[in-house]
Amino acid sequence: MLKMLGNELPYLKAPQKAGSTYLQGMVLEIRSKEYEYSLLQRNQFRLLKVTVEPRTSYLICNFEVRDLATSRGEFIAISYCWGDPRPTHRILTGDGRFLVVTESATEVLRFVVSKYPSHSFWIDQLCINQTHLEEKSVQVSMMGQIYSSTIKVVAWLGRGDRLTRDVVTFIRRVSADTEKRKARGIQPTITPTMSVSPRLRDAPAQLRMFRNWDLLSMLLKNPWFERIWVMQEIVMACSATSRIMKIDEPVLLMFEECAIEFDVLASFLRFLKNNKLQSNLAFDRKYDDGFKGSEMPFGFGAVDVFSQYRNIKEQEEDISMNLALNDAWYFKASNDRDKVFATMGFIDPNEIANTDLHIDYESSVQEGYTRCAIAMLRRDNEYPMLLHMAGIGLRRSYLALPSWVPDFSQESYEVQLKPEVSESEEAKHYLASGIIKKIELHIDASARSLHCRGIFIDVVETVYEQPTFGKSNQWYHNFTPSLFFSPDKYYYKKVLQWLEDIEAFLSASGYSHSRDILYQTLVGDYSIPFNSSDFNLGEIFDSWYQAQHELAGSIGIKTSVLSSFKRKPDSYNKVQLFEDLKASSQGGRPVFGTSDKRMLGHGPTGLKAGDTVCIIMGVMTPFLLRPMKSESGLDGVEGKRYQLVGPCFVHGIMYGEGLNIGQLEDIVLV
């Protein structure tokens, strides 16, 4: 192993001081003897004691095998990013051997032992024998219990610098000011620390100029927030220990010279969200309008998810696997299996009880994903949410997967059409297949096929691709006025042409209310938020449409929708509101028109002309299916074999209207 790694492993030099015979012998010995892990029994795990040899600063580790049930509150668990997975550093063990670890593991161990010299630690890279796949599978399945049994989770975000200290100070200052206002009975809004002159308070473009926003954005772009395992580590942190002892700081985000409690950061970001200040984090000055190519820092949404899940756990409620997997799409994993495995430590254990779903690093990724889909669909036949995550119309890495099995390996995915039309407490639901308490799904595991019943509605005839910003592949626009704003007229001309092509399809179909069909399709029947209920969809669509003309520089169009922001902010609000509603539903997905019934809808990115609109019984939205070719070249074979393309919105059949269009047929998804 050492020969293979070559010069990447820095050989340790023997100390030059007298009286160092033991260490000299140890250094010579570690050139040939690597530490050998002992086998663990059921419910056992390893803890690590770390010391630093004072004369040489070598890290020396000693393992202790413990029973998890009797170790609650007796160790600190470490959360960190592996970074470069290559083992480039050696750590000595108390028996004179060595372990080869990554640079990140060495860095975090040096830090935690300096802060907590008398504590035992649990760190996955050393406490799990990573080369023993059977042990790894068992130990990973215990990680939720391990993090729930710790006295503290130390999350190592890197060394940091002066700017890191500045942003931590900023967060603490704003949080303290907010708490003081609450104590005085004042509803916290924009605190004095963050506010500007009254004339500029409603101009986010001015707030963005503050240095603190840039620093906060940098903090939230730390790769630690993107790591899939962090979800489990933070959600489960000290949840079992807190029942038997008081835990003041369950999760501490640490840099070399400063730290901040996770709960403080979560509360601060929630404050920004409640006051609609988070857009100040998504600003890139290298673009003219500040938003082309820029995105909200990943950590902003990640902290929100972690915080919500922690609250659910604190209320002793269960987290469904559907919900966890839906959020897991966005996170990164060095091993694609972990996109599923990482959620299994904090979900409701009853969901996977008596199923074939278990952590197994010896099986292939495709086998793991298929096993997950089968377990969920067999259990979840009253609400098969998993199908909304699947389909060949979505981006996929594992092309050999059955079309009805989601490819969880993708780090992000397009806007997903969900059964809920909004996220409010009074959310309405799509009911394309009516109200069915239980559906009939049959899975043939050997043939990797899913058998169901459905009604075929129509065939896709024309596809209208959403225009994007040049090479950035972005379609969403924040219309916030900016001193540097310079619209891309070519892009907005393409948007106008896109809208006119769709309108031409509707007009040729003989609709008298084509305008209503167009905007209702673009927003997917999403309702206007309560705080904007003074508007109606038709009104805000007209403002949004006029804004497209204005930005395209259309001759003969005299509007001041955007230029009137300072005088008539309602005009701007209407434009932005429709853009936001459109992003929540259509979200850049292509719009399509059908051949016979001339219906309008939108579906996944990979849809094609010839795909079939189908209502699958028991599923809340219509789906697009792609007929399979038989050996004779004819579409379909016995049982109507199709590939699942993905969920779609189709105007006029979202609430059961399509049930009267055709007859139920047997469908086989492969």
Side-chain angles (χ1 to χ4, degrees), residues 316-373:
E316 298 186 355
E317 297 180 2
D318 293 319
I319 300 170
S320 72
M321 192 161 191
N322 272 333
L323 178 63
L325 287 174
N326 189 61
D327 288 324
W329 286 93
Y330 299 99
F331 291 84
K332 293 181 178 180
S334 56
N335 187 320
D336 288 339
R337 299 170 182 81
D338 292 340
K339 296 295 283 289
V340 172
F341 294 167
T343 66
M344 293 172 61
F346 62 88
I347 62 168
D348 179 4
N350 293 324
E351 292 204 23
I352 55 177
N354 302 318
T355 71
D356 190 36
L357 184 58
H358 59 277
I359 293 177
D360 179 10
Y361 283 97
E362 296 183 272
S363 61
S364 70
V365 175
Q366 293 94 321
E367 289 173 339
Y369 289 178
T370 304
R371 193 159 50 231
C372 175

Side-chain angles (χ1 to χ4, degrees), residues 157-187:
L157 273 66
R159 294 185 179 277
D161 52 24
R162 178 178 57 82
L163 299 179
T164 308
R165 295 196 302 272
D166 289 347
V167 72
V168 169
T169 301
F170 168 62
I171 295 170
R172 292 194 180 281
R173 188 169 65 244
V174 174
S175 300
D177 181 75
T178 301
E179 291 302 317
K180 289 179 182 178
R181 292 166 70 86
K182 286 183 179 178
R184 297 201 304 266
I186 303 174
Q187 179 64 32

Side-chain angles (χ1 to χ4, degrees), residues 205 208 282-294 469 474 476-488 491-492 551:
R208 285 193 228 101
F283 185 75
D284 194 337
R285 294 182 183 82
K286 69 182 179 181
Y287 295 98
D288 292 337
D289 65 358
F291 284 91
K292 294 178 184 177
S294 64
F469 289 116
Q474 292 197 9
Y476 176 79
H477 181 71
N478 190 311
F479 293 93
T480 303
S482 169
L483 296 175
F484 311 105
F485 181 70
S486 177
D488 182 349
Y491 164 73
Y492 289 103
L551 292 168

Side-chain angles (χ1 to χ4, degrees), residues 39 50 60 75 77 86 112 136 138 178 213 249 257 333 337 394-395 408 425 478 499 515 518 572 619:
L39 294 178
V50 184
I60 303 177
F75 63 96
R86 293 176 300 174
V112 294
K136 183 177 179 180
V138 173
T178 301
W213 291 116
E249 298 175 346
E257 297 184 11
R337 299 170 182 81
L394 301 175
R395 189 173 59 182
F408 298 105
E425 294 182 358
N478 190 311
L499 293 169
R515 169 182 167 274
L518 174 57
Y572 153 74
V619 185

Side-chain angles (χ1 to χ4, degrees), residues 507-554:
S507 298
S509 302
Y511 290 110
S512 58
H513 54 294
S514 59
R515 169 182 167 274
D516 295 345
I517 295 176
L518 174 57
Y519 72 70
Q520 288 169 5
T521 299
L522 291 180
V523 301
D525 284 347
Y526 270 56
S527 56
I528 296 178
F530 177 77
N531 57 3
S532 303
S533 57
D534 291 339
F535 306 145
N536 62 66
L537 276 175
E539 182 182 352
I540 66 172
F541 172 71
D542 289 341
S543 295
W544 179 82
Y545 206 153
Q546 289 179 11
Q548 309 304 312
H549 279 287
E550 183 178 333
L551 292 168
S554 299

Side-chain angles (χ1 to χ4, degrees), residues 60 82 193 240 250 278 280 300 304 313 333 341 363 399 411 446:
I60 303 177
W82 276 47
T193 308
Q278 69 269 28
N280 296 298
F300 184 86
D304 187 43
K313 283 292 183 183
F341 294 167
S363 61
L399 302 182
E411 295 174 3
S446 60

